[in-house]
Amino acid sequence: MQLSLASTLIEKALEYQLVGKLIAKLLARGQRCEVLHGICDRDGYDVVIEAAGIVRHIQLKSRVQGGKNGKFDIATRLADKPSGCAILISWDRDTIRPTGFRFLGGAPGQPLDQLGDKVTTHSRYSGQGSKGPRPAYRSVPIGRFDKTATLDVLVDQLFGPAPAPASLHGLEAMA
């Protein structure tokens, strides 16, 4: 099957894999989390995850490993959210599994930086034979995304560093 014919399913498979891995990492850190999925991405995000007192509205983007796409359309409404961000997932064509992540956003609790002025255009032609502007989206080059080394680093970027292990009744302080 041509992957382009299953792009929506691939995006959902990548979303569920990423969310599952993020939940597992947060639970391993002893942090409760909550995940909310939007019905549509009208407001610029695909998923909302709350952990460590931080609410992240996350727009997900994907690119096949080795893909040439160097710009990504990011919704301007994402910058209206207190900790809006975007995660770019690179994925393997054969296994449809994530191979790496890139992060676009501020520190936990901080808003998304300015997205720039480059307004995107629709991917399809209008009835008049042109691709009209999409004023609610900006074209963001891949270089603006932080290349994230591991899933642990991504969790830190989203929610801050892991909390210190619980004390054993203050015994560590006595050592």
Side-chain angles (χ1 to χ4, degrees):
M1 169 172 60
Q2 277 187 307
L3 292 179
S4 62
L5 299 176
S7 62
T8 302
L9 286 174
I10 290 169
E11 287 173 6
K12 281 298 174 191
L14 294 169
E15 175 182 335
Y16 292 142
Q17 289 176 76
L18 174 62
V19 169
K21 289 175 186 225
L22 290 173
I23 290 170
K25 289 288 184 186
L26 289 165
L27 290 173
R29 288 166 48 150
Q31 293 179 295
R32 293 178 50 151
C33 63
E34 186 172 353
V35 178
L36 305 170
H37 291 274
I39 293 173
C40 65
D41 64 359
R42 178 192 71 158
D43 290 320
Y45 59 88
D46 299 296
V47 64
V48 179
I49 302 177
E50 183 274 328
I54 304 296
V55 177
R56 284 288 195 176
H57 291 76
I58 304 169
Q59 185 173 25
L60 298 172
K61 297 295 179 181
S62 65
R63 178 173 87 161
V64 69
Q65 189 173 345
K68 304 295 183 212
N69 188 6
K71 296 179 182 171
F72 298 88
D73 297 350
I74 304 295
T76 57
R77 294 183 90 173
L78 195 59
D80 296 337
K81 303 300 179 187
S83 287
C85 63
I87 298 173
L88 172 60
I89 306 169
S90 295
W91 56 279
D92 180 85
R93 180 182 303 276
D94 296 326
T95 63
I96 308 177
R97 292 197 176 154
T99 58
F101 307 100
R102 289 179 179 257
F103 177 78
L104 178 70
Q110 298 301 309
L112 183 62
D113 288 337
Q114 293 296 322
L115 296 173
D117 297 327
K118 176 94 168 109
V119 175
T120 64
T121 57
H122 285 281
S123 60
R124 295 185 183 98
Y125 287 96
S126 69
Q128 293 78 28
S130 64
K131 293 182 178 184
R134 295 176 73 193
Y137 289 84
R138 297 294 180 268
S139 180
V140 178
I142 196 168
R144 291 267 321 271
F145 287 76
D146 292 334
K147 188 168 184 175
T148 303
T150 66
L151 195 61
D152 288 315
V153 171
L154 181 60
V155 173
D156 288 348
Q157 287 175 306
L158 290 167
F159 303 107
S167 167
L168 297 174
H169 304 291
L171 294 177
E172 290 89 10
M174 299 167 86

